[in-house]
Amino acid sequence: MIGPEGEQVGILSRDEALAMAQDAGLDLVEIQPNGDPPVCRIMDFGKFKFEAQKKAHAAKKKQKQVEIKELKFRPVTDVGDYQIKMRNLRRFLEEGDKVKITIRFRGREMTHQELGEAMVKKIAAEIAEDAVIEQYPRMEGRLMVMMVAPKKKI
């Protein structure tokens, strides 16, 4: 048994431990029921639960939900539009979000998939120091899709 100040009390019977907890005006809480003998502690259980709840709430508040942003390109995306999309891509990665890069082929563009592959390689080369490619480019119907995630900061 562990006392209210965290000191070792020793091995006591259940009735002795309960009496000791009542004298202190606290609760007897079983910490390790599978031990031999089971370990109990004298503490204010309501206060313990409240502090645990506060810690869990603070931890939940600090964590960031990772979103998946999507950027859509075409094989004929011009330089200006391309640069704006790359600027947005870098911003999304800095914010810690994953990015789904989609290249859509329309009509006869399907016969020139090498243009899309070249664009994907260019994008991957430009963001190599900022990001990790989670899913390499693959065709899904008329779309070429690639998933990118930010690199972990050390």
Side-chain angles (χ1 to χ4, degrees), residues 6-36:
E7 75 279 358
Q8 288 280 340
V9 176
I11 298 174
L12 301 175
S13 70
R14 182 179 154 270
D15 295 331
E16 290 177 74
L18 278 170
M20 205 170 166
Q22 282 182 342
D23 290 342
L26 299 171
D27 304 313
L28 182 67
V29 180
E30 193 173 32
I31 295 174
Q32 195 174 26
N34 298 335
D36 187 36

Side-chain angles (χ1 to χ4, degrees), residues 134-151:
E134 276 194 346
Q135 179 185 19
Y136 286 91
R138 70 168 199 260
M139 288 299 292
E140 295 178 1
R142 292 188 162 271
L143 302 176
M144 185 177 285
V145 179
M146 176 171 78
M147 284 293 291
V148 177
K151 277 190 177 173

